[in-house]
Amino acid sequence: MIRTDPETPDLFITPVEEVFIRNHLGPAPRLDRDTWTLTVEGAVERPLRLDFPALLDLPQTRFTAVHECFGSPLRPHVPTRAVTNVEWAGAPLAAVLALAGPRPEARHVWLEGADRGDFAGESGLTYLKDLPLDQAGAEVVLAHSMNGEPLRPDHGYPVRAVAPRMFGTNSVKWLTRIVLAAERPDHLFTTRLYTRVPPGGGEARPVREKDVGSKLLTPRDGGSVPAGACELEGYAWSATEVTAVEIAVDDADWQPAELERRGPHPSWQRFRLRCDLAPGPHRVRCRATDSAGRVQPLTGDRNAVHEIGILAE
Ligand SMILES: Nc1nc2c(c(=O)[nH]1)N[C@H]1C(S)=C(S)[C@@H](COP(=O)(O)O)O[C@H]1N2
Ligand SMILES: [Mo]
């Protein structure tokens, strides 16, 4: 989803126009900021209904984070590489939870959007996701702005959830209802889809924390470059910090690329490597490792190493 402009090959923040749009239930609902409300109900001491000014009265936070689509929940192991890096602003969910007062039995936070529709043969669905209360309280933000401007209708206007370390599917757009509960909700998008079996096998787990991944952006896939010295660049990301990126040109060994540190926010990290390209076609691959020791697989999963083809002339 990233277009690299030859003038600005390495935009750290993805312009809003270039951010992918993923709507499972049809067109974006058109909500109005003046009539929007968010209800907080279920296992809480004080059920609430917040309007937009009340959300702005809460403490506000601003941060950059990788925004990545998991891919089709019907094909959980197929790479799509729809990834961007954006700046969000909004109120921490923790501030809303403090107002509502979770009851002792509350273990899960359900987040529901205002869109309604059909998906994978089921009709009349809402968009519902859930996260463990501890995790949601620690990191979810109720965002009203993207890259310094109000959310656009397609991106969840006026308010969406953002779970910065998680796949995009968890960041519920057009957020209108939060439920605290002792159990997970049984729903197409929570327990039946968006689950996957870990690489070694075992029980299916919900799609939450991002995988380790990397993407070559310069030169462009299919592009041509002058033969000789060439700079290969891209971005790497994960739920934790990426600690190494290696690049392989054709069948040569993997070589360590120069990698920026992540900084305080869960943003992507730029990497680059100078190499020498003989005239002719070349294949370039990149592979990231994160601080949890996860490494991109060569093949077979949605975060398999990225490969581009370039022509040196
Ligand atoms: N209400 C609602 N929220 C949603 C979705 C949706 O269809 N409806 N799609 C999810 C998916 S799969 C992704 S990848 C992100 C995409 O966010 P974006 O369209 O703002 O890029 O939103 C998530 N939140
Ligand atoms: Mo997605």
Side-chain angles (χ1 to χ4, degrees), residues 22 69-71 169 194:
R22 293 283 185 281
C69 176
F70 175 74
T169 174
Y194 285 113

Side-chain angles (χ1 to χ4, degrees), residues 43 102-110 130-135 180-184:
R103 288 210 303 259
E105 69 271 25
R107 290 280 177 278
H108 303 270
V109 179
W110 306 7
D130 72 295
L131 290 168
L133 174 59
D134 293 351
Q135 216 164 32
L180 270 70
E183 318 79 31
R184 297 194 61 203

